[in-house]
Amino acid sequence: MIARRNLLKGSAGLPLEDRWYLASLTSARAYTAFGFAADRVPMNAANLCPMPSAISAAVERYSRELDRDMSAPNRRRIEAMKETARSGIAGQLGTAGDEIAIVRNTSEANSIVVQGLALRSGDEVLLWDQNHPSNALAWEVRAAREGFKVRYFAVPLAAQSIGEVVDGVSAALGPRTRMVSFTHISNITGFRLPAAEICAELRRRRPDLFIHIDGAQTWGVRDVNLAEWDCDSFSGSAHKWYMGPRETGMLYVRRESQEAVAPVVVSIPWGNDVEPSVAGARRYEALGQRDDASIAALAETVAWHGALTPAFVAHRATAVADRLRAALHDIDVPLVSPGHADFRSNVIILAASANNRGALAERVFEDSGVIPAPTGGLRLSPHIYNTAEHVERVVGAVGRVRDKLG
């Protein structure tokens, strides 16, 4: 575990661009703390983040410990770290441990809500038209089977105020709308919905609505307090911005809403009766045998974030994204992503046609050694492990393919 005092030691007075890692990240090069090569720099956090080297080592260490000793006491010791992870995640998100389930990723968390929420023929589900397939197509598949209706709302990318967006979403409510489900930050445009304000207005208009938020592009990069968001559920993946072990994620379901969402898998450790013997949201993680080494390492990831603090991570990540956005503006490249301060995020997407964005991503990577993604255009999603040098390299490469963007 990383001691907070060591992380903070020596950081006072440093400029923001040099404070992106503290104590445990003592090298002048980001990739010595994270393990990626100088010519393989990740800038695709919207899809997959590198783990800090200490977390990678923890996954390997716990795996070796389990292989060496599979006795019940040793397994219980390692499995108990799930509760450490749960309580730490809950604390960082401003909620209670009994409202957090440790699942495998956002898609699984979304699917628990999609499949578990009770709906009848004639009911309506309202979705953002920029939702991820696990929070859009999944609803369509179930609706085709059961006869309820799926409808979508749109948000103008050029929106100029939070009120404009909130009014547009709430106006889309219909008399049969039973639930509203939206992605907080779009992976295809980078637009960040004003989640707290949307929830407040929806709840004011329809107190009985079930509201689900897909936080795949939020958890680990935004400093979120779910106690201030009046939603019923929230999902996230550790392998993205949280920089944790792969195939670990979380689902928050607030205590008052848990009876409304039925578990979709019932196995160990549910218990032996129809009613679960596990408390609260743990009912959603009765999935049988899990990768206990990764879950134990998730507990160390929680401590890593706790030592840095979610506020610092958000502050640093935003600073990197702002530097990148400003540099792209300086070379006058067309952006899909909004520039408005209320709606922008760390998901920055350059306009590129569908037929050449893959080739552009490859060319930028080969030229700069920085890894983008061909999602929604040419997507760059930097995080705290990215430096000013990485920004300069990738912007230089983008400038050299400027004529192919648009």
Side-chain angles (χ1 to χ4, degrees), residues 380-395:
L380 298 166
S381 42
H383 206 359
I384 63 168
Y385 43 74
N386 291 124
T387 66
E389 182 209 5
H390 300 158
V391 169
E392 291 172 5
R393 283 160 54 182
V394 77
V395 170

Side-chain angles (χ1 to χ4, degrees), residues 336 350-361 373-378 404-406:
V336 173
L350 287 63
S353 64
N355 63 356
N356 74 341
R357 61 184 60 159
L360 281 173
T375 304
L378 183 64
K404 296 179 174 59
L405 294 167

Side-chain angles (χ1 to χ4, degrees), residues 71 141 310 355:
S71 66
V141 170
N355 63 356

Side-chain angles (χ1 to χ4, degrees), residues 44-276:
N44 187 23
N47 176 249
L48 182 65
C49 278
M51 288 180 276
S53 298
I55 306 303
S56 297
V59 174
E60 296 175 3
R61 184 176 73 253
Y62 288 120
S63 291
R64 288 196 304 270
E65 290 178 10
L66 279 168
D67 287 339
R68 181 184 61 81
D69 178 7
M70 291 189 177
S71 66
N74 194 48
R75 291 181 68 181
R76 283 195 297 268
R77 175 184 68 86
I78 292 176
E79 289 167 2
M81 295 192 71
K82 181 191 286 187
E83 293 305 316
T84 303
R86 187 191 318 280
S87 62
I89 291 168
Q92 291 168 8
L93 292 175
T95 185
D98 284 355
E99 296 176 313
I100 298 292
I102 306 297
V103 295
R104 286 176 287 201
N105 50 44
T106 310
S107 291
E108 181 170 71
N110 288 344
S111 292
I112 290 169
V113 176
V114 170
Q115 302 300 329
L117 187 67
L119 293 167
R120 296 174 296 180
S121 178
D123 284 345
E124 179 181 87
V125 172
L126 182 64
L127 310 174
W128 189 20
D129 63 2
Q130 293 187 38
N131 278 6
H132 186 271
S134 67
N135 195 22
L137 181 59
W139 287 107
E140 299 271 10
V141 170
R142 184 183 168 195
R145 185 175 67 242
E146 299 183 16
F148 61 84
K149 182 179 180 180
V150 175
R151 199 159 53 81
Y152 294 87
F153 66 84
V155 172
L157 289 178
Q160 293 301 302
S161 72
I162 289 176
E164 177 186 353
V165 173
V166 172
D167 290 346
V169 176
S170 56
L173 287 172
R176 300 300 299 272
T177 304
R178 170 74 176 82
M179 83 94 62
V180 177
S181 187
F182 59 87
T183 298
H184 182 210
I185 297 172
S186 170
N187 71 311
I188 56 174
T189 66
F191 194 101
R192 173 168 55 90
L193 289 176
E197 292 86 350
I198 289 173
C199 289
E201 180 60 17
L202 292 177
R203 197 68 74 193
R204 186 186 70 80
R205 293 189 179 213
R206 297 279 294 279
D208 60 338
L209 275 177
F210 191 101
I211 304 172
H212 174 66
I213 300 175
D214 178 332
Q217 307 301 334
T218 308
W219 186 39
V221 67
R222 307 292 304 184
D223 189 11
V224 171
N225 186 341
L226 290 177
E228 298 173 354
W229 292 12
D230 197 1
C231 63
D232 294 278
S233 55
F234 177 90
S235 57
S237 293
H239 69 266
K240 295 184 187 286
W241 303 91
Y242 205 65
M243 300 174 284
R246 290 173 276 279
E247 287 204 15
T248 58
M250 70 85 181
L251 171 65
Y252 157 80
V253 183
R254 67 177 181 179
R255 185 175 290 103
E256 298 83 357
S257 303
Q258 289 171 9
E259 290 302 318
V261 181
V264 296
V265 177
V266 176
S267 184
I268 306 299
W270 177 276
N272 298 316
D273 297 311
V274 172
E275 290 299 315

